[in-house]
Amino acid sequence: MTVKNGILLALESSCDETSAAIVADGRNVLSNIISSQVPIHQKYKGVVPEIASRCHTQCIAAVTEEAVRGAGLEYGDIGAVAVTSGPGLVGGLLVGVSFAKGLAYSLGVPVIGVHHIEGHISANYITNKQLEPPFLALVVSGGHSHIVLCRDYCSYELIGRTRDDAAGEAFDKVARVLGLPYPGGIHIDRLAKEGNPEAFHFHSVLARQDNFDFSFSGIKTGIINLVHKLEQNGEPVPVADIAASFQQFVCGVLCEKTVKAARLYGMKSVVLAGGVAANSQLRSMLAEQCRVNGMSFFCPEPVLCTDNAAMIGCAGYYRLQKGFVSDLALNADAAMSLF
């Protein structure tokens, strides 16, 4: 199905960012407005769903207006509306889906529900214009740690996943016990540069097993116990060394299993996606391992690693090309499956 002018308006409100974007022909971002709620949730050291929903309601119209005007367009230029319909916090999803359906109905254009993970994977198409399927994707965020085989646009096969805490979730929980601000990933990344990654040797029950699944709950618990033991004994907590050792271990496991999966499935390209894709060590480590194994490596620019509507617009464009159009019965699905 073609899109009028090739122009999509996209909306993302699955967690704590309210975002609207205008995307042309799938890969050209004309505007990408992101209103982050991080300062609001920092005092709680995590996202409060009810507060997040209220914030989405308060700003989604203004964010959308800014995206349209920032692209130099009028609403009549929009050919379709794409929106994250799951997974995520159901209240936030409902705000985005309801707004998207109302807007699409008023404009007389199609509405396309998009899976959040598909959006993260599709962010790579925006930064890397030459990227085409097939490829293997490592998707790492606060809620997901997936290894995904992407055979074609809108065609995904789950190869491996976390069995407990996602990588981003583990970063946030470890950061909290180390006394670092929320969100923890960026602060651990910065602090790790000052520490010794060989100071502590952590392990995971799945790290060396012959599969592509992950487990990060054990290392999180191990660090919590380590810090509590040091504090009880009156010993200083080497925060930078713990951060560096933790990050080294997590990134190593993610990269090792991803490259192993790519070799098994004969993939010559590997992409990184999700919020943790902004981690500097993960980016450099996976890029190096891909180089050594003769694989091409792709990752989005940092602004496209966080939740944003541009990636939803890209995914929506290719879903529309494949004929996947939603209707006004589209609903939010907090546990929506892509596989």
Side-chain angles (χ1 to χ4, degrees):
M1 180 181 294
T2 59
V3 186
K4 182 178 69 174
N5 303 327
I7 302 294
L8 270 81
L9 184 148
L11 298 166
E12 155 62 29
S13 61
S14 65
C15 190
D16 59 343
E17 275 90 25
T18 311
S19 181
I22 301 293
V23 179
D25 299 321
R27 302 197 183 202
N28 299 313
V29 179
L30 305 185
S31 65
N32 187 28
I33 309 302
I34 304 172
S35 176
S36 176
Q37 301 173 15
V38 166
I40 298 171
H41 297 288
Q42 275 181 331
K43 68 177 74 173
Y44 307 106
K45 300 187 183 298
V47 178
V48 181
E50 294 83 356
I51 295 176
S53 302
R54 190 177 307 123
C55 290
H56 289 309
T57 302
Q58 291 170 343
C59 72
I60 192 168
V63 168
T64 302
E65 180 72 19
E66 186 176 353
V68 175
R69 302 303 175 217
L73 301 175
E74 301 292 337
Y75 282 97
D77 299 317
I78 296 168
V81 178
V83 61
T84 304
S85 53
L89 301 177
V90 68
L93 292 169
L94 281 168
V95 173
V97 169
S98 299
F99 190 87
K101 290 195 296 184
L103 184 59
Y105 180 78
S106 69
L107 297 175
V109 300
V111 61
I112 309 107
V114 174
H115 192 286
H116 186 72
I117 293 301
E118 185 173 19
H120 275 303
I121 293 171
S122 299
N124 279 279
Y125 295 132
I126 298 172
T127 299
N128 309 288
K129 297 294 194 291
Q130 75 276 27
L131 177 64
E132 299 283 348
F135 54 77
L136 194 80
L138 171 62
V139 184
V140 276
S141 66
H144 305 87
S145 295
H146 292 340
I147 297 178
V148 181
L149 183 62
C150 306
R151 298 190 186 277
D152 194 4
Y153 295 107
C154 310
S155 176
Y156 308 98
E157 179 182 347
L158 182 64
I159 303 302
R161 67 186 307 167
T162 183
R163 297 189 186 178
D164 40 56
D165 289 358
E169 183 181 2
F171 267 92
D172 284 338
K173 290 178 177 177
V174 168
R176 180 183 300 181
V177 79
L178 294 179
L180 302 177
Y182 172 85
I186 187 171
H187 298 288
I188 286 184
D189 192 10
R190 291 170 180 169
L191 189 61
K193 294 179 173 62
E194 304 171 13
N196 175 12
E198 302 299 327
F200 298 92
H201 296 281
F202 301 114
H203 68 278
S204 164
V205 67
L206 293 180
R208 299 291 177 242
Q209 288 189 11
D210 190 23
N211 57 48
F212 301 120
D213 288 345
F214 307 106
S215 172
F216 298 116
S217 179
I219 184 175
K220 170 207 68 181
T221 303
I223 291 176
I224 291 173
N225 291 337
L226 170 64
V227 171
H228 288 171
K229 181 178 179 180
L230 291 170
E231 291 175 340
Q232 288 169 359
N233 292 337
E235 300 177 38
V237 178
V239 177
D241 287 346
I242 293 175
S245 300
F246 164 75
Q247 181 169 276
Q248 174 85 359
F249 174 80
V250 172
C251 292
V253 172
L254 289 169
C255 293
E256 181 180 342
K257 293 209 171 193
T258 299
V259 172
K260 182 179 178 181
R263 288 201 304 264
L264 178 65
Y265 287 91
M267 292 293 105
K268 298 300 183 182
S269 297
V270 173
V271 311
L272 183 59
V276 185
N279 181 275
S280 62
Q281 184 168 0
L282 181 58
R283 292 165 80 95
S284 62
M285 186 180 291
L286 188 53
E288 175 60 17
Q289 291 197 23
C290 286
R291 185 192 66 79
V292 170
N293 285 274
M295 302 169 184
S296 299
F297 171 70
F298 302 92
C299 62
E301 57 191 291
V303 70
L304 295 178
C305 292
T306 188
D307 292 348
N308 68 92
M311 67 183 193
I312 303 302
C314 178
Y317 176 85
Y318 288 109
R319 291 196 67 79
L320 196 58
Q321 296 296 302
K322 293 284 189 179
F324 297 124
V325 181
S326 306
D327 56 31
L328 295 183
L330 177 67
N331 199 3
D333 185 350
M336 184 178 180
S337 176
L338 182 62
F339 312 104

